Amino acid sequence: MAKIGRELLNQLTSEQVKGPFVTIMLNTHVAHQEVEKDQLKFKNFIKESKKRFEKRYPSEDWSVIQKNAEVLLASQDFWRQSTKSVAVILTPEETFVHRLSIEVDDQYYVGDTPYILAIIKNAQFNYPYYLLALNRDSFALYKMENKKLSKINLPEDAPVTKEIALGDELTGGGANFRSSSNSSGDASHGTSAKDEEVEIDRRNYYYAVSNFLKTFLENEEPAPLFLYGLPDNQSVFKKVAKGLNVQGEISVTTSPAQLSVAELEKNASRIQEELSRKEVAEYQKLIENKAYEQFSDIKQSASLGRIEKLFITTANLIPGFGEDPDTEYDWRQELNLTSIETISNGGDVYILEQTDAPGGKSLLGILRY
């Protein structure tokens, strides 16, 4: 689960955050006309939320929530974010804004608890990691977060090229050295003493890169490091890399030379797919544990803190507002409340497709004991 999602869920399910809560889930866009539609929908949700809030909580002050909602409505930065959707949770004291990388049902809730099911789903299969784009004589470092890849700005003295790293210590850089460049930006060579010198340069360069990354990443958020580069470059780098959390089993084995961030992000989807596959495989083993499938049993066990892992399939989350606005999403709210009780008691909640759930069960509560 993504760290930022886990931290938010722990915060929202703690006793420190007081309700009542107004939760708005909204798909977002970047085109001007679509943004205007998003703003109008948000405005209408706030209007409808006010009616329900004042009906359910006549002694509470709506004005603070209204003011904070209007601040978001008028914020250009808020509407310029290019994520797929956003969760906005308003209370009389606080405002939480959480960007999502998944599509949601545009909806609003007013209740004693926040609506967190979409936040849970977004945090799943959402792996933060560093991506090292490695060429023979250069590198760049990226961070994957909330399924978006962004380039990390490195210090001016970072060894981003072999020349910067080795300078006068280059052994294979003489004028008589013959080489040819292929389309991937990496050099190919014949067998000679010069080739051996070039290999020494590559090892020395990668050693310098490894040392730099070890120091640099110590001051960054902890996360695994995945490699993006030709197999030969990856092999040499892994031999000299020391003290780095390099993930050897999964990588992207093509050249990153001259690719845009968007292209790198697209090609790196293999990492996400492999990590997800391994995680789902681990879930399947849990079907052998003691568990409940009936919601009444799950609900009672969650309230007693006995649920270690709660699996909910998306088949339970039927989209649509319902015919009665005062009772809409009752089933979702039941699942939402049980999820909150599970998390607040130290358990984990997962929202999966039917095929990914343990034993294909629509609902499954794995017991601690």
Side-chain angles (χ1 to χ4, degrees):
M1 177 174 287
K3 180 181 178 182
I4 187 172
R6 163 58 72 183
E7 290 176 345
L8 178 62
L9 289 170
N10 287 340
Q11 186 177 13
L12 291 174
T13 56
S14 71
E15 296 181 355
Q16 297 176 354
V17 181
K18 306 296 183 182
F21 296 86
V22 174
T23 304
I24 294 177
M25 313 298 300
L26 192 69
N27 291 304
T28 54
H29 306 82
V30 293
H32 180 69
Q33 291 183 338
E34 295 297 329
V35 169
E36 289 183 342
K37 292 179 182 178
D38 294 343
Q39 290 172 319
L40 180 60
K41 187 171 291 185
F42 183 86
K43 187 175 182 179
N44 288 336
F45 281 169
I46 291 297
K47 182 179 178 181
E48 294 302 317
S49 295
K50 179 183 178 182
K51 296 178 183 177
R52 188 170 302 170
F53 186 94
E54 291 179 338
K55 182 178 180 180
R56 294 190 62 176
Y57 307 103
S59 62
E60 295 282 350
D61 183 10
W62 168 261
S63 63
V64 177
I65 293 178
Q66 180 71 44
K67 181 180 178 180
N68 291 338
E70 289 174 355
V71 169
L72 292 178
L73 192 59
S75 171
Q76 292 186 356
D77 288 339
F78 177 80
W79 297 104
R80 284 175 178 170
Q81 296 289 330
S82 59
T83 55
K84 285 189 177 181
S85 59
V86 63
V88 177
I89 299 172
L90 301 154
T91 77
E93 297 181 356
E94 298 180 80
T95 299
F96 301 88
V97 176
H98 187 60
R99 296 285 169 179
L100 307 173
S101 61
I102 61 172
E103 291 186 0
V104 298
D105 297 325
D106 293 333
Q107 56 197 268
Y108 68 95
Y109 299 94
V110 177
D112 297 333
T113 60
Y115 183 79
I116 64 171
L117 296 185
I119 297 173
I120 292 171
K121 189 174 188 297
N122 182 75
Q124 294 167 178
F125 308 124
N126 193 340
Y127 310 101
Y129 61 83
Y130 296 101
L131 185 69
L132 177 61
L134 189 66
N135 292 304
R136 178 180 288 269
D137 54 6
S138 66
F139 85 91
L141 187 65
Y142 299 84
K143 180 69 178 292
M144 179 68 78
E145 201 162 31
N146 207 20
K147 299 182 181 178
K148 295 293 292 183
L149 191 69
S150 58
K151 188 174 183 178
I152 296 176
N153 293 323
L154 300 176
E156 291 184 2
D157 60 347
V160 293
T161 67
K162 183 167 62 177
E163 287 72 19
I164 292 175
L166 303 183
D168 295 336
E169 297 179 12
L170 279 168
T171 60
N176 295 326
F177 172 62
R178 57 184 176 83
S179 67
S180 61
S181 180
N182 58 30
S183 61
S184 68
D186 290 287
S188 57
H189 316 285
T191 302
S192 67
K194 283 295 182 182
D195 292 326
E196 294 180 4
E197 292 175 352
V198 170
E199 286 307 305
I200 291 173
D201 284 341
R202 178 166 62 168
R203 288 196 299 272
N204 289 341
Y205 175 52
Y206 286 175
Y207 183 75
V209 172
S210 172
N211 284 341
F212 166 78
L213 291 175
K214 181 177 181 297
T215 301
F216 179 80
L217 293 176
E218 283 178 350
N219 299 316
E220 301 294 314
E221 287 285 337
L225 177 67
F226 289 92
L227 301 183
Y228 189 132
L230 294 174
D232 187 45
N233 289 338
Q234 291 193 32
S235 176
V236 175
F237 182 82
K238 284 187 284 188
K239 288 178 182 178
V240 302
K242 303 297 181 183
L244 290 174
N245 188 15
V246 178
Q247 304 300 295
E249 295 183 3
I250 306 173
S251 65
V252 183
T253 55
T254 58
S255 172
Q258 300 179 344
L259 295 182
S260 67
V261 176
E263 290 171 321
L264 292 170
E265 180 180 291
K266 180 180 179 180
N267 295 340
S269 62
R270 177 179 178 273
I271 296 174
Q272 162 84 21
E273 292 167 359
E274 286 296 312
L275 291 174
S276 300
R277 182 185 61 78
K278 288 187 175 184
E279 187 172 337
V280 168
E282 290 299 314
Y283 294 159
Q284 304 310 315
K285 300 175 183 178
L286 298 175
I287 194 64
E288 300 176 2
N289 294 12
K290 186 174 181 179
Y292 286 134
E293 296 181 42
Q294 298 300 317
F295 180 67
S296 58
D297 295 327
I298 293 173
K299 181 178 179 179
Q300 182 181 29
S301 297
S303 66
L304 297 173
R306 295 188 61 204
I307 298 294
E308 181 178 13
K309 296 183 185 297
L310 172 59
F311 292 92
I312 303 170
T313 67
T314 53
N316 289 285
L317 309 179
I318 302 172
F321 283 95
E323 297 180 359
D324 185 350
D326 291 327
T327 59
E328 62 178 317
Y329 298 119
D330 272 2
W331 175 232
R332 289 191 183 192
Q333 290 286 38
E334 286 287 334
L335 294 173
N336 185 65
L337 181 57
T338 301
S339 297
I340 288 174
E341 290 181 331
T342 299
I343 293 172
S344 64
N345 285 317
D348 294 310
V349 181
Y350 306 86
I351 299 177
L352 306 173
E353 298 300 322
Q354 195 84 28
T355 53
D356 293 337
K361 304 294 184 181
S362 179
L363 276 175
L364 190 69
I366 306 294
L367 300 180
R368 284 197 172 94
Y369 49 87

